[in-house]
Each structure stands twice: as C-alpha cells, then as structure tokens.
Amino acid sequence: MDTTIEGFQSWMTKGLSFLLPFLFFGYFWELYNSYALFKIAQMENCHEWQVMALCIIFLILFLGNFSTTFMVVRRKYSNRISDKIKRIKSTYIALKYLRSFSEKAKEKNL
C-alpha cells in the first residue's frame, strides 16, 4: 500500500496513463455525436430545435472535457520533467563539490 505522498503520486500517474485512452475515446465519441447531430439538424425534414441544442451541448461537453484533461496531463508531465532537471542539476553540483574536495585532499597529500 502506498502511504507516502511520492507513492501516491506514482500510483496516480500509472492509473492516469491507463485511463487516458478510454477517456479520449469517450471525448471523441462526444465530438462525433455533436457532428452527427449537426448533420441531422441541417437536413430539410428536421424542424426540431432540440437536435441543434443537443449538438451544442455535446460540443461544449467535448471541449470542456478534452481541454481539462489535456491541461492536467501537460502539467503532470511538465512537472515530472522539471523535477528530473532539478535532480540532474543537484547531482552535478554535488559531483562538482566532491571533485573540488578530492583535488584539495590530493594537494594536501603532496
């Protein structure tokens, strides 16, 4: 069981990557519904306003869901990349410090 914050975040990322294809399939299904309803509303024998209203509702639903999920995924991966860059920089600084320390120790031994 993941009890630490890091464990919970790693679990969330794994779950999100598993869930994303299903979410995006559902979102594009909403877009398809919107397009199909728009085509039906453009037919000559369609006189109901409800078809166009549903078309607009599905389009708004797709845009909101898709943009929100895309922003969450982008933020999650950009945070992960920035954390890796910070870790690499701190490792470089630590190695630089150790190298200078070992050079000073060698000078003292000479």
Side-chain angles (χ1 to χ4, degrees), residues 91-109:
T91 304
Y92 173 73
I93 291 170
L95 289 175
K96 191 176 174 182
Y97 174 74
L98 286 174
R99 180 176 286 160
S100 66
F101 181 73
S102 65
E103 288 173 1
K104 287 179 184 177
K106 284 180 184 179
E107 289 175 5
K108 286 183 180 180
N109 289 338

Side-chain angles (χ1 to χ4, degrees), residues 57-71:
I57 289 171
F58 271 113
L59 183 63
I60 291 171
L61 190 64
F62 163 76
L63 290 174
N65 286 339
F66 184 80
S67 62
T68 302
T69 305
F70 183 74
M71 286 187 295

Side-chain angles (χ1 to χ4, degrees), residues 18-32:
F18 172 75
L19 194 60
L20 282 177
F22 299 106
L23 288 175
F24 282 117
F25 176 79
Y27 299 158
F28 284 110
W29 186 259
E30 293 167 358
L31 182 64
Y32 172 75

Side-chain angles (χ1 to χ4, degrees), residues 42-93:
Q42 296 299 316
M43 292 181 178
E44 292 180 14
N45 59 353
C46 181
H47 303 290
E48 290 82 14
W49 61 271
Q50 292 93 345
V51 178
M52 186 56 84
L54 275 176
C55 167
I56 293 169
I57 289 171
F58 271 113
L59 183 63
I60 291 171
L61 190 64
F62 163 76
L63 290 174
N65 286 339
F66 184 80
S67 62
T68 302
T69 305
F70 183 74
M71 286 187 295
V72 166
V73 169
R74 192 180 76 193
R75 182 178 296 149
K76 193 165 216 37
Y77 284 111
S78 68
N79 286 345
R80 185 183 298 172
I81 290 171
S82 66
D83 288 344
K84 283 184 181 180
I85 290 172
K86 287 178 187 175
R87 207 171 326 130
I88 289 170
K89 284 183 180 179
S90 65
T91 304
Y92 173 73
I93 291 170

